[in-house]
Amino acid sequence: MTHSGAVADNSAKKLHRIQRGADQHWVGNGFPARTLFTYSNLGPMISPFLLLDYAGPMEFLPTEKRLGVGVHPHRGFETVTIVYSGEVEHRDSTGSGGIIGPGDVQWMTAASGLVHEEFHGPDLARRGGVLEMAQLWVNLPAKAKMAPPRYQSISNKQIPALSLPGGEGSLRVIAGEFGGVQGPARTFTPVHVWDLQLASEQPFCLPVPEGYATLLVVLKGLINVDSETIGSAEVGIYDRAGGHIRINSAQNATTLLLCGEAIEEPIVGSGPFVMNSAEEIRQAISDYQGGRMGRLTY
Ligand code: MN
């Protein structure tokens, strides 16, 4: 950052708006999701992030049925699935797949396109239990939208966990870095994804890069910022200017702090495809319908 002076770096990012009141909808028959933010109304403000669905927490009874969502495509972005409780199983047309449980993360790069299915894992189905997970969509720059798909399965123990220096809670670095500690996820553009558990009666700051889109996703608990409260299933969206965010207090909060460098390109999306133009969306639909995004082979 050569153009941002010391004044900007020393100031807090201002809370720009709070997204509230997300309605629940079912994704397939297994994921009771609330879309906490989406590019469809926020667009460039949240770039490089596109969308976040928060599913649960919801108790499921033991079942012989496979609960989830069957084969569907994606092209042009990445899906990041973070499990808090329960178990999610994934298979895709590149031959990748796996079962992830609490603390685990699946970072799937759809890029040029794949098809996949997402279901409750076998142990959750057999024993029943609480499902709670988040799925974040991260955009890709135009030059990577037609790159080969890839899959990163990131286990809980691969994710560095640190304590905040003032004792306000703990932080897991899923992607990017915090205080010089690198997270395991490989990303196409600079992105930090921190999984934070926060509790503090005292104000404190978190350093966040100048110029980055910054979203504080509160899944559970309460965060007080300025004169506002961000509650469960709500998202604080900050101005890009400023070198940190200031939190006045936090009550038993499970949050995701997302920040990243904007991708300054047009965003044109339709359902499971996010590209740069309407023509590329038509091509994606045609490629999917023509079977050119692959199929599940096992
Ligand atoms: Mn999907």
Side-chain angles (χ1 to χ4, degrees):
M1 292 290 133
T2 53
H3 57 279
S4 63
V7 173
D9 283 339
N10 288 337
S11 67
K13 290 178 188 288
K14 282 218 285 282
L15 184 63
H16 181 73
R17 63 190 278 173
I18 301 173
Q19 293 293 114
R20 305 186 195 274
D23 291 330
Q24 187 190 290
H25 61 280
W26 283 87
V27 176
N29 63 359
F31 302 107
R34 285 172 284 179
T35 301
L36 303 192
F37 65 80
T38 169
Y39 70 98
S40 64
N41 67 315
L42 298 167
M45 186 192 297
I46 58 169
S47 176
F49 306 105
L50 292 170
L51 175 151
L52 187 135
D53 274 349
Y54 178 38
M58 184 178 280
E59 171 105 32
F60 286 85
L61 297 172
T63 180
E64 312 252 290
K65 278 191 272 182
R66 292 189 82 208
L67 298 179
V69 54
V71 178
H72 61 278
H74 293 289
R75 172 180 280 179
F77 61 97
E78 304 183 284
T79 66
V80 180
T81 305
I82 302 165
V83 175
Y84 292 89
S85 178
E87 192 186 53
V88 177
E89 182 172 16
H90 151 99
R91 296 196 301 153
D92 72 43
S93 52
T94 72
S96 295
I99 297 169
I100 59 172
D104 299 336
V105 174
Q106 173 203 95
W107 197 294
M108 187 187 82
T109 305
S112 64
L114 48 65
V115 301
H116 76 155
E117 60 176 27
E118 297 160 275
F119 284 98
H120 293 195
D123 197 58
L124 175 62
R126 188 171 58 248
R127 293 156 55 149
V130 174
L131 177 72
E132 182 183 8
M133 55 170 275
Q135 186 173 85
L136 169 69
W137 291 12
V138 182
N139 207 359
L140 289 170
K143 65 175 191 294
K145 281 185 180 290
M146 294 303 283
R150 75 182 187 198
Y151 178 82
Q152 302 173 68
S153 183
I154 301 169
S155 68
N156 186 19
K157 64 176 188 294
Q158 292 173 273
I159 300 172
L162 7 146
S163 296
L164 294 178
E168 301 91 356
S170 60
L171 183 153
R172 297 197 316 144
V173 188
I174 294 171
E177 58 94 21
F178 182 89
V181 176
Q182 301 286 326
R186 289 183 297 149
T187 66
F188 284 78
T189 60
V191 167
H192 303 289
V193 176
W194 305 330
D195 168 15
L196 283 152
Q197 301 286 331
L198 297 172
S200 178
E201 300 290 318
Q202 306 300 323
F204 63 102
C205 293
L206 292 170
V208 176
E210 168 70 36
Y212 278 25
T214 301
L215 289 80
L216 182 61
V217 181
V218 179
L219 301 177
K220 290 184 291 201
L222 289 177
I223 297 278
N224 294 301
V225 174
D226 300 339
S227 56
E228 305 276 0
T229 297
I230 311 171
S232 178
E234 297 180 346
V235 182
I237 302 175
Y238 289 82
D239 286 341
R240 290 176 188 272
H244 62 268
I245 64 169
R246 181 181 167 85
I247 291 172
N248 288 344
S249 64
Q251 294 164 35
N252 204 17
T254 299
T255 73
L256 288 168
L257 195 293
L258 312 175
C259 60
E261 189 178 281
I263 299 170
E264 310 269 8
E265 294 169 350
I267 305 167
V268 181
S270 178
F273 309 125
V274 182
M275 302 300 290
N276 302 114
S277 71
E279 175 51 34
E280 289 171 336
I281 293 295
R282 283 191 289 275
Q283 186 66 50
I285 293 166
S286 160
D287 286 348
Y288 171 56
Q289 290 174 344
R292 292 183 292 277
M293 289 190 188
R295 58 195 174 86
L296 294 187
T297 54
Y298 68 101

Coordinates of all heavy atoms in Angstrom, one line a residue, residues 77-79 90 92 94 96 107-114 140 147-153 185-189:
F77 N -15.9 -19.6 -9.5 CA -15.6 -19.2 -8.2 C -15.2 -20.4 -7.3 O -15.0 -21.5 -7.8 CB -16.8 -18.4 -7.6 CG -18.0 -19.2 -7.5 CD1 -18.4 -19.8 -6.3 CD2 -18.9 -19.3 -8.6 CE1 -19.6 -20.5 -6.2 CE2 -20.0 -20.1 -8.5 CZ -20.4 -20.7 -7.3
E78 N -15.1 -20.1 -6.0 CA -14.7 -21.2 -5.0 C -15.8 -21.3 -4.0 O -16.4 -20.3 -3.6 CB -13.3 -20.8 -4.4 CG -12.2 -20.6 -5.4 CD -10.9 -20.4 -4.7 OE1 -10.6 -19.3 -4.2 OE2 -10.0 -21.3 -4.7
T79 N -16.0 -22.5 -3.5 CA -16.9 -22.7 -2.3 C -16.0 -23.1 -1.2 O -15.2 -24.0 -1.3 CB -18.0 -23.7 -2.6 OG1 -17.5 -25.0 -2.8 CG2 -18.8 -23.3 -3.8
H90 N -18.8 -34.8 0.6 CA -18.8 -34.2 -0.7 C -18.2 -35.1 -1.7 O -17.2 -35.8 -1.4 CB -18.0 -32.9 -0.6 CG -17.3 -32.5 -1.9 ND1 -17.8 -31.5 -2.7 CD2 -16.1 -32.9 -2.4 CE1 -17.0 -31.3 -3.7 NE2 -16.0 -32.2 -3.6
D92 N -17.1 -34.9 -6.1 CA -17.2 -34.1 -7.3 C -16.6 -34.8 -8.5 O -16.0 -35.9 -8.4 CB -16.5 -32.7 -7.1 CG -15.0 -32.7 -7.0 OD1 -14.4 -33.4 -7.8 OD2 -14.5 -32.0 -6.1
T94 N -14.2 -34.2 -10.4 CA -12.8 -34.4 -10.6 C -12.3 -35.6 -9.9 O -11.1 -35.9 -10.0 CB -12.0 -33.2 -10.1 OG1 -12.0 -33.2 -8.7 CG2 -12.6 -31.9 -10.6
S96 N -12.5 -35.8 -6.6 CA -12.2 -35.4 -5.2 C -13.4 -35.7 -4.4 O -14.5 -35.7 -4.9 CB -11.8 -34.0 -5.1 OG -10.6 -33.8 -5.8
W107 N -12.1 -26.4 0.8 CA -11.9 -25.3 0.0 C -11.9 -25.8 -1.4 O -11.0 -26.3 -1.9 CB -10.6 -24.5 0.3 CG -10.6 -23.1 -0.2 CD1 -10.5 -22.8 -1.5 CD2 -10.5 -21.9 0.5 NE1 -10.4 -21.4 -1.6 CE2 -10.4 -20.9 -0.4 CE3 -10.5 -21.6 1.9 CZ2 -10.4 -19.5 0.0 CZ3 -10.5 -20.3 2.3 CH2 -10.4 -19.2 1.3
M108 N -13.1 -25.6 -2.1 CA -13.3 -26.2 -3.5 C -13.2 -25.1 -4.5 O -14.0 -24.2 -4.5 CB -14.6 -27.0 -3.5 CG -14.8 -27.7 -4.9 SD -16.4 -28.4 -5.0 CE -17.3 -27.0 -5.6
T109 N -12.3 -25.3 -5.4 CA -12.2 -24.3 -6.5 C -12.9 -24.9 -7.7 O -12.5 -25.8 -8.4 CB -10.7 -24.1 -6.9 OG1 -10.0 -23.7 -5.7 CG2 -10.5 -23.0 -8.0
A110 N -14.1 -24.3 -8.0 CA -14.9 -24.8 -9.2 C -14.2 -24.4 -10.5 O -14.1 -25.1 -11.4 CB -16.3 -24.3 -9.1
A111 N -13.7 -23.1 -10.5 CA -13.1 -22.5 -11.7 C -13.8 -22.9 -12.9 O -15.0 -22.6 -13.1 CB -11.6 -22.9 -11.7
S112 N -13.2 -23.7 -13.9 CA -13.8 -23.9 -15.2 C -15.1 -24.7 -15.1 O -15.8 -24.8 -16.1 CB -12.8 -24.5 -16.1 OG -12.4 -25.8 -15.6
G113 N -15.2 -25.4 -14.0 CA -16.5 -26.1 -13.8 C -16.4 -27.5 -13.4 O -15.4 -28.2 -13.7
L114 N -17.3 -27.9 -12.5 CA -17.4 -29.3 -12.1 C -18.8 -29.5 -11.7 O -19.7 -28.6 -11.6 CB -16.4 -29.5 -10.9 CG -16.4 -28.6 -9.7 CD1 -17.7 -28.5 -8.9 CD2 -15.3 -28.9 -8.8
L140 N -13.4 -15.6 -8.3 CA -12.1 -15.7 -8.9 C -11.9 -14.6 -9.9 O -12.8 -14.1 -10.5 CB -12.0 -17.1 -9.7 CG -11.9 -18.3 -8.8 CD1 -12.1 -19.6 -9.7 CD2 -10.6 -18.4 -8.1
A147 N -9.6 -21.8 -15.1 CA -8.5 -22.7 -14.7 C -9.1 -24.1 -14.3 O -10.3 -24.2 -14.1 CB -7.8 -22.1 -13.5
P148 N -8.2 -25.1 -14.2 CA -8.7 -26.4 -13.8 C -9.3 -26.4 -12.4 O -8.7 -25.7 -11.5 CB -7.5 -27.3 -13.9 CG -6.5 -26.6 -14.7 CD -6.8 -25.1 -14.5
P149 N -10.3 -27.1 -12.1 CA -10.8 -27.2 -10.7 C -9.8 -27.8 -9.8 O -8.9 -28.6 -10.2 CB -12.1 -28.1 -10.8 CG -12.4 -28.2 -12.2 CD -11.1 -28.0 -13.0
R150 N -9.9 -27.5 -8.5 CA -9.0 -28.1 -7.5 C -9.8 -28.2 -6.2 O -10.8 -27.5 -6.0 CB -7.7 -27.5 -7.4 CG -7.7 -26.2 -6.7 CD -6.3 -25.6 -6.6 NE -6.2 -24.4 -5.8 CZ -5.3 -23.4 -5.8 NH1 -4.3 -23.5 -6.7 NH2 -5.4 -22.4 -5.0
Y151 N -9.2 -29.0 -5.3 CA -9.9 -29.3 -4.0 C -8.9 -29.4 -2.9 O -7.9 -30.1 -3.0 CB -10.6 -30.7 -4.2 CG -11.3 -31.2 -3.0 CD1 -12.6 -30.7 -2.7 CD2 -10.7 -32.1 -2.1 CE1 -13.3 -31.2 -1.6 CE2 -11.4 -32.6 -1.0 CZ -12.7 -32.1 -0.8 OH -13.4 -32.6 0.3
Q152 N -9.2 -28.6 -1.9 CA -8.3 -28.6 -0.7 C -9.1 -29.0 0.5 O -10.1 -28.4 0.9 CB -7.7 -27.2 -0.4 CG -6.9 -26.6 -1.6 CD -6.5 -25.1 -1.3 OE1 -5.7 -24.9 -0.4 NE2 -7.1 -24.2 -2.0
S153 N -8.7 -30.2 1.0 CA -9.4 -30.7 2.2 C -8.5 -30.3 3.4 O -7.3 -30.7 3.4 CB -9.5 -32.2 2.2 OG -10.2 -32.6 3.3
A185 N -5.0 -22.6 3.6 CA -5.7 -22.5 2.3 C -4.9 -21.7 1.3 O -4.4 -20.7 1.6 CB -7.1 -21.9 2.5
R186 N -4.8 -22.3 0.1 CA -4.2 -21.6 -1.0 C -5.3 -20.8 -1.7 O -6.4 -21.3 -2.0 CB -3.5 -22.5 -2.0 CG -2.2 -23.1 -1.5 CD -1.6 -24.0 -2.5 NE -2.4 -25.1 -2.8 CZ -2.4 -25.7 -4.0 NH1 -1.7 -25.3 -5.0 NH2 -3.2 -26.7 -4.3
T187 N -5.0 -19.5 -2.0 CA -6.1 -18.7 -2.6 C -5.5 -18.0 -3.9 O -4.3 -17.9 -4.1 CB -6.6 -17.6 -1.7 OG1 -5.5 -16.6 -1.4 CG2 -7.1 -18.2 -0.4
F188 N -6.4 -17.6 -4.8 CA -6.0 -16.9 -6.1 C -5.7 -15.5 -5.9 O -4.9 -14.9 -6.7 CB -7.0 -17.2 -7.1 CG -7.0 -18.6 -7.6 CD1 -7.6 -19.6 -6.9 CD2 -6.4 -18.9 -8.9 CE1 -7.6 -20.9 -7.4 CE2 -6.4 -20.2 -9.3 CZ -7.0 -21.2 -8.6
T189 N -6.4 -14.8 -5.0 CA -6.2 -13.4 -4.7 C -6.0 -13.3 -3.2 O -6.4 -14.2 -2.5 CB -7.3 -12.5 -5.2 OG1 -8.5 -12.9 -4.5 CG2 -7.6 -12.6 -6.7

